[in-house]
Amino acid sequence: MHKAAQEVHAPEASLWRALGDVSPLCLAVLPWGILCGSLGLQMGFSALQTQAMSLLVFAGAVQLSGTMMVGNAAGLPAVLGSTLVISARHLLYGAHFRQYITPLPLKWRLGLGFLLTDEMYALSTAHTSKHGRFSKHYALYTGAAFYIGWNLATLAGILAGSQLKALEAIGLDFAIAATFIALTVPSIKTRPVLLCALASGISMLLFTYYHIPNALIIATGVGMVAGLMTESLPTRRAAT
């Protein structure tokens, strides 16, 4: 049994397993990366600056919002505030991963921290749950493969954006929703999580329709409260 566990977490086995798991997500995010690359050129960034955002920032939603805000001459506080709100979920990812990576050397912690995305977190968490042990190699290979795929998609967007105009008009931004749906649905296994997702989604639709400011933040709070209340309901019934 111990030998089988070692084979599962061996670097070579982790590499092929990670590539197989992350490949569909790399394909799903391809239109998103193309949109980021083409949008950067349309907002006045050079090809080098646009590619550098994917190389150094490596955060799709932040890149899209940041590129549009900078291109429209938004102030630095607004850009930083938007980035903070959009990336706040990574605090939760990091807090969860802390138990696994704290014993690792600094180079591993820095590398995994930089490569930590929604996709890497979801795949690595599922892998840990399935095999009962965190694999640093699986997390590294998953994150690195997605990083390479994201930058290649951005490069494709830069090349296409220099030839084609208004790529965002053909609906490439739907890849953002599709990717998060693919990551979220498999994790809905309990009633509190289901109600949390439904409450957040319905609230977001209503708040957006009525043009309520900070709709994303409010909808997130509604979903968290709904999930918390649902989770505590059996305890209250038992106490009664």
Side-chain angles (χ1 to χ4, degrees):
M1 185 72 177
H2 182 66
K3 182 178 180 181
Q6 286 182 328
E7 291 177 353
V8 168
H9 296 282
E12 185 175 353
S14 297
L15 172 61
W16 295 114
R17 185 172 292 104
L19 292 178
D21 291 343
V22 79
S23 293
L25 292 178
C26 289
L27 292 176
V29 84
L30 181 62
W32 192 354
I34 293 176
L35 179 59
C36 278
S38 63
L39 185 63
L41 297 183
Q42 294 178 33
M43 289 292 144
F45 290 85
S46 67
L48 181 59
Q49 290 172 330
T50 302
Q51 189 68 58
M53 286 194 70
S54 287
L55 288 169
L56 302 177
V57 179
F58 186 39
V62 169
Q63 287 180 228
L64 283 174
S65 64
T67 299
M68 294 184 67
M69 293 181 72
V70 173
N72 290 315
L76 181 60
V79 175
L80 294 179
S82 174
T83 300
L84 178 62
V85 171
I86 295 173
S87 301
R89 65 190 186 281
H90 286 81
L91 294 174
L92 300 178
Y93 297 164
H96 181 240
F97 265 15
R98 185 176 183 272
Q99 59 184 315
Y100 303 125
I101 69 173
T102 297
L104 299 178
L106 179 61
K107 61 181 181 181
W108 274 95
R109 283 180 280 152
L110 292 176
L112 294 177
F114 176 75
L115 295 172
L116 181 58
T117 59
D118 303 289
E119 293 76 12
M120 191 265 260
Y121 175 79
L123 291 176
S124 185
T125 300
H127 183 271
T128 302
S129 177
K130 179 179 180 180
H131 298 286
R133 176 183 167 191
F134 176 76
S135 172
K136 63 181 182 181
H137 291 100
Y138 179 87
L140 176 66
Y141 297 147
T142 302
F146 195 79
Y147 178 74
I148 294 172
W150 176 252
N151 278 277
L152 290 177
T154 302
L155 178 60
I158 292 173
L159 297 176
S162 62
Q163 303 296 326
L164 304 174
K165 302 301 181 182
L167 282 178
E168 70 278 7
I170 64 177
L172 292 179
D173 52 342
F174 178 73
I176 302 174
T179 301
F180 280 104
I181 290 173
L183 291 172
T184 302
V185 171
S187 66
I188 301 177
K189 300 178 180 179
T190 63
R191 182 178 297 178
V193 176
L194 174 61
L195 292 180
C196 177
L198 289 176
S200 297
I202 295 174
S203 299
M204 185 62 187
L205 289 175
L206 292 175
F207 296 156
T208 302
Y209 179 79
Y210 289 106
H211 304 288
I212 296 177
N214 300 315
L216 178 60
I217 299 176
I218 300 174
T220 301
V222 170
M224 293 173 64
V225 171
L228 181 61
M229 292 179 63
T230 306
E231 189 173 29
S232 63
L233 187 59
T235 304
R236 293 179 181 177
R237 287 178 176 176
T240 302

Short mmCIF file of all heavy atoms in Angstrom, two decimals, residues 60-86:
data_model
loop_
_atom_site.label_atom_id
_atom_site.label_comp_id
_atom_site.label_asym_id
_atom_site.label_seq_id
_atom_site.Cartn_x
_atom_site.Cartn_y
_atom_site.Cartn_z
N GLY A 60 -6.14 36.09 -15.22
CA GLY A 60 -6.99 36.48 -16.33
C GLY A 60 -7.98 37.58 -16.03
O GLY A 60 -8.05 38.59 -16.74
N ALA A 61 -8.78 37.42 -14.97
CA ALA A 61 -9.79 38.42 -14.66
C ALA A 61 -9.16 39.76 -14.31
O ALA A 61 -9.65 40.82 -14.70
CB ALA A 61 -10.66 37.94 -13.50
N VAL A 62 -8.06 39.72 -13.57
CA VAL A 62 -7.35 40.96 -13.21
C VAL A 62 -6.78 41.62 -14.45
O VAL A 62 -6.82 42.85 -14.59
CB VAL A 62 -6.23 40.66 -12.19
CG1 VAL A 62 -5.33 41.88 -12.01
CG2 VAL A 62 -6.84 40.25 -10.86
N GLN A 63 -6.24 40.82 -15.36
CA GLN A 63 -5.67 41.39 -16.59
C GLN A 63 -6.74 42.06 -17.44
O GLN A 63 -6.51 43.16 -17.98
CB GLN A 63 -4.97 40.29 -17.39
CG GLN A 63 -3.67 39.82 -16.78
CD GLN A 63 -2.99 38.73 -17.59
OE1 GLN A 63 -2.58 37.71 -17.05
NE2 GLN A 63 -2.87 38.93 -18.89
N LEU A 64 -7.89 41.43 -17.57
CA LEU A 64 -8.95 42.03 -18.37
C LEU A 64 -9.43 43.35 -17.77
O LEU A 64 -9.53 44.37 -18.47
CB LEU A 64 -10.13 41.05 -18.49
CG LEU A 64 -9.97 39.89 -19.47
CD1 LEU A 64 -11.15 38.94 -19.36
CD2 LEU A 64 -9.82 40.40 -20.90
N SER A 65 -9.73 43.33 -16.48
CA SER A 65 -10.23 44.55 -15.84
C SER A 65 -9.15 45.62 -15.79
O SER A 65 -9.41 46.80 -16.05
CB SER A 65 -10.73 44.24 -14.42
OG SER A 65 -9.67 43.81 -13.59
N GLY A 66 -7.92 45.21 -15.44
CA GLY A 66 -6.82 46.18 -15.36
C GLY A 66 -6.50 46.81 -16.70
O GLY A 66 -6.26 48.02 -16.79
N THR A 67 -6.49 45.99 -17.76
CA THR A 67 -6.21 46.51 -19.09
C THR A 67 -7.25 47.53 -19.52
O THR A 67 -6.93 48.60 -20.04
CB THR A 67 -6.16 45.36 -20.10
OG1 THR A 67 -5.11 44.46 -19.75
CG2 THR A 67 -5.90 45.88 -21.51
N MET A 68 -8.52 47.22 -19.28
CA MET A 68 -9.58 48.14 -19.68
C MET A 68 -9.55 49.42 -18.85
O MET A 68 -9.76 50.52 -19.37
CB MET A 68 -10.93 47.44 -19.53
CG MET A 68 -11.12 46.27 -20.49
SD MET A 68 -12.76 45.51 -20.41
CE MET A 68 -13.77 46.83 -21.06
N MET A 69 -9.27 49.29 -17.55
CA MET A 69 -9.26 50.47 -16.69
C MET A 69 -8.07 51.38 -17.02
O MET A 69 -8.22 52.60 -17.10
CB MET A 69 -9.21 50.04 -15.23
CG MET A 69 -10.48 49.34 -14.76
SD MET A 69 -10.43 48.85 -13.02
CE MET A 69 -10.61 50.47 -12.23
N VAL A 70 -6.90 50.78 -17.22
CA VAL A 70 -5.73 51.59 -17.58
C VAL A 70 -5.91 52.22 -18.95
O VAL A 70 -5.58 53.39 -19.18
CB VAL A 70 -4.45 50.74 -17.54
CG1 VAL A 70 -3.26 51.53 -18.08
CG2 VAL A 70 -4.16 50.27 -16.11
N GLY A 71 -6.47 51.44 -19.88
CA GLY A 71 -6.72 51.96 -21.22
C GLY A 71 -7.71 53.11 -21.24
O GLY A 71 -7.65 53.98 -22.11
N ASN A 72 -8.61 53.12 -20.26
CA ASN A 72 -9.60 54.21 -20.15
C ASN A 72 -9.17 55.28 -19.16
O ASN A 72 -9.99 56.07 -18.68
CB ASN A 72 -10.96 53.64 -19.74
CG ASN A 72 -11.59 52.81 -20.84
OD1 ASN A 72 -11.59 53.22 -22.00
ND2 ASN A 72 -12.10 51.63 -20.50
N ALA A 73 -7.88 55.28 -18.82
CA ALA A 73 -7.27 56.32 -17.97
C ALA A 73 -7.84 56.34 -16.55
O ALA A 73 -8.01 57.40 -15.95
CB ALA A 73 -7.42 57.70 -18.62
N ALA A 74 -8.13 55.17 -16.00
CA ALA A 74 -8.60 55.10 -14.62
C ALA A 74 -7.44 55.39 -13.66
O ALA A 74 -6.27 55.14 -13.97
CB ALA A 74 -9.18 53.72 -14.32
N GLY A 75 -7.75 55.90 -12.49
CA GLY A 75 -6.73 56.24 -11.52
C GLY A 75 -6.13 54.99 -10.88
O GLY A 75 -6.74 53.91 -10.86
N LEU A 76 -4.94 55.15 -10.30
CA LEU A 76 -4.25 54.03 -9.67
C LEU A 76 -5.05 53.43 -8.51
O LEU A 76 -5.14 52.20 -8.40
CB LEU A 76 -2.87 54.47 -9.19
CG LEU A 76 -2.00 53.39 -8.51
CD1 LEU A 76 -1.74 52.24 -9.48
CD2 LEU A 76 -0.69 53.99 -8.01
N PRO A 77 -5.67 54.24 -7.63
CA PRO A 77 -6.46 53.65 -6.54
C PRO A 77 -7.59 52.76 -7.05
O PRO A 77 -7.87 51.71 -6.47
CB PRO A 77 -7.02 54.88 -5.80
CG PRO A 77 -6.03 55.96 -6.08
CD PRO A 77 -5.58 55.71 -7.49
N ALA A 78 -8.25 53.18 -8.14
CA ALA A 78 -9.34 52.39 -8.70
C ALA A 78 -8.83 51.06 -9.24
O ALA A 78 -9.46 50.01 -9.05
CB ALA A 78 -10.06 53.18 -9.79
N VAL A 79 -7.69 51.11 -9.92
CA VAL A 79 -7.12 49.88 -10.49
C VAL A 79 -6.70 48.92 -9.37
O VAL A 79 -7.00 47.72 -9.42
CB VAL A 79 -5.91 50.22 -11.38
CG1 VAL A 79 -5.24 48.93 -11.87
CG2 VAL A 79 -6.34 51.06 -12.57
N LEU A 80 -6.03 49.45 -8.36
CA LEU A 80 -5.58 48.61 -7.25
C LEU A 80 -6.77 48.06 -6.45
O LEU A 80 -6.77 46.90 -6.03
CB LEU A 80 -4.66 49.40 -6.33
CG LEU A 80 -3.31 49.83 -6.92
CD1 LEU A 80 -2.52 50.64 -5.90
CD2 LEU A 80 -2.51 48.62 -7.38
N GLY A 81 -7.79 48.88 -6.24
CA GLY A 81 -8.97 48.43 -5.52
C GLY A 81 -9.70 47.31 -6.25
O GLY A 81 -10.11 46.32 -5.64
N SER A 82 -9.85 47.46 -7.56
CA SER A 82 -10.49 46.44 -8.37
C SER A 82 -9.69 45.14 -8.35
O SER A 82 -10.25 44.04 -8.23
CB SER A 82 -10.65 46.93 -9.81
OG SER A 82 -11.15 45.93 -10.65
N THR A 83 -8.38 45.28 -8.45
CA THR A 83 -7.51 44.10 -8.42
C THR A 83 -7.62 43.37 -7.08
O THR A 83 -7.66 42.13 -7.04
CB THR A 83 -6.05 44.52 -8.66
OG1 THR A 83 -5.94 45.14 -9.95
CG2 THR A 83 -5.12 43.31 -8.60
N LEU A 84 -7.68 44.13 -6.00
CA LEU A 84 -7.79 43.53 -4.67
C LEU A 84 -9.09 42.74 -4.52
O LEU A 84 -9.08 41.62 -3.99
CB LEU A 84 -7.71 44.62 -3.60
CG LEU A 84 -7.84 44.15 -2.15
CD1 LEU A 84 -6.71 43.20 -1.79
CD2 LEU A 84 -7.86 45.34 -1.19
N VAL A 85 -10.18 43.32 -4.98
CA VAL A 85 -11.48 42.64 -4.85
C VAL A 85 -11.50 41.36 -5.69
O VAL A 85 -11.93 40.30 -5.22
CB VAL A 85 -12.62 43.59 -5.28
CG1 VAL A 85 -13.94 42.83 -5.36
CG2 VAL A 85 -12.73 44.75 -4.30
N ILE A 86 -11.05 41.45 -6.92
CA ILE A 86 -11.09 40.30 -7.82
C ILE A 86 -10.19 39.17 -7.32
O ILE A 86 -10.53 38.00 -7.43
CB ILE A 86 -10.67 40.72 -9.25
CG1 ILE A 86 -11.70 41.71 -9.82
CG2 ILE A 86 -10.54 39.51 -10.16
CD1 ILE A 86 -11.30 42.30 -11.15
#
